[in-house]
Amino acid sequence: GNSVTQMEGPVTLSEEAFLTINCTYTATGYPSLFWYVQYPGEGLQLLLKATKADDKGSNKGFEATYRKETTSFHLEKGSVQVSDSAVYFCALRFDSNYQLIWGAGTKLIIKP
Amino acid sequence: NAGVMQNPRHLVRRRGQEARLRCSPMKGHSHVYWYRQLPEEGLKFMVYLQKENIIDESGMPKERFSAEFPKEGPSILRIQQVVRGDSAAYFCASWTGSGYGYTFGSGTRLTVV
């Protein structure tokens, strides 16, 4: 079946450190890939997306590239801030279906 | 243009009571999804509704859970005879029916005591 696997958290970094949160997927076909962010006590916000292989999604300094050969969509940021502390979810969705299939989420803690 | 509004934000129920969770979608959105998030887990799809229709309820437990999205008013997720295992955050998302962007509400955190 289709699934998303994320690296376990929490991930704890110091401010200005480089961030990578790994996401790999299993899918029969070519889904669109998403990263959502959930700040404490809030709902989920779409952070970025990529709809086909080699696409790069980017927003607020975060980037992720759709790698079909490694079935991955790793989230990166060059210099994290305390305000980036949140839970990050990787998800996939097929155009022919409306459901998002979610990873378990990775909690990110940034220390000043 | 207000976002997706969910209420209440926090709900405490005793075992055996009923829980009603409300979701008002964004203006112009006629598609609503409900997801459940158990502690330390990702979101699990529960049900997908359009106005007056349930499109897909494959993620919803067969008993005690029901959902509706009437022609007028918010979408309601109803949980009868709640048990401790129902304690979770319930998120609603709305969509226009095209494109990629769902808009999520802030969720209702249900605690069953």
Side-chain angles (χ1 to χ4, degrees):
Chain A
N2 303 311
S3 65
V4 176
T5 303
Q6 289 181 236
M7 64 189 293
E8 283 193 31
V11 172
T12 304
L13 296 171
S14 298
E15 210 166 16
E16 299 183 4
F18 184 87
L19 167 72
T20 300
I21 299 179
N22 290 339
C23 170
T24 57
Y25 67 91
T26 302
T28 51
Y30 304 103
S32 297
L33 302 173
F34 303 83
W35 277 101
Y36 279 80
V37 58
Q38 183 180 27
Y39 297 103
E42 297 186 14
L44 286 84
Q45 303 174 24
L46 178 63
L47 181 60
L48 54 84
K49 69 178 188 294
T51 58
K52 61 183 187 296
D54 300 324
D55 267 4
K56 177 186 282 188
S58 61
N59 186 24
K60 299 182 181 179
F62 290 90
E63 292 183 341
T65 301
Y66 189 141
R67 302 282 188 205
K68 192 174 77 171
E69 63 276 11
T70 55
T71 61
S72 65
F73 193 53
H74 305 321
L75 183 68
E76 296 182 336
K77 187 174 184 181
S79 176
V80 292
Q81 307 300 314
V82 172
S83 57
D84 293 327
S85 298
V87 181
Y88 292 81
F89 292 91
C90 185
L92 69 83
R93 180 183 151 203
F94 291 94
D95 288 349
S96 59
N97 196 332
Y98 37 79
Q99 285 190 37
L100 282 162
I101 297 170
W102 298 87
T106 302
K107 185 173 184 177
L108 175 64
I109 300 169
I110 307 299
K111 297 189 172 179
Chain B
N1 189 13
V4 177
M5 304 300 293
Q6 288 190 250
N7 64 82
R9 288 294 298 271
H10 300 275
L11 181 62
V12 179
R13 284 287 177 265
R14 296 186 186 279
R15 281 178 292 170
Q17 289 185 320
E18 179 179 285
R20 279 182 179 247
L21 288 61
R22 293 174 183 77
C23 169
S24 296
M26 286 188 69
K27 187 176 180 180
H29 288 197
S30 58
H31 299 243
V32 164
Y33 304 81
W34 286 93
Y35 287 86
R36 176 163 64 177
Q37 183 181 31
L38 294 170
E40 308 300 323
E41 294 188 18
L43 279 74
K44 301 293 185 189
F45 167 78
M46 297 184 75
V47 62
Y48 165 38
L49 309 109
Q50 293 182 23
K51 287 277 187 182
E52 300 184 278
N53 285 305
I54 297 174
I55 306 302
D56 182 352
E57 56 183 348
S58 60
M60 204 143 71
K62 293 285 186 286
E63 298 179 355
R64 301 189 297 109
F65 285 72
S66 63
E68 63 176 8
F69 188 16
K71 187 176 179 181
E72 301 291 337
S75 176
I76 306 288
L77 179 67
R78 182 181 177 208
I79 311 172
Q80 295 178 290
Q81 298 175 311
V82 295
V83 301
R84 289 232 170 98
D86 297 332
S87 295
Y90 292 82
F91 288 96
C92 166
S94 74
W95 183 44
T96 60
S98 63
Y100 294 98
Y102 295 4
T103 302
F104 279 86
S106 297
T108 294
R109 282 151 183 83
L110 171 66
T111 303
V112 179
V113 298

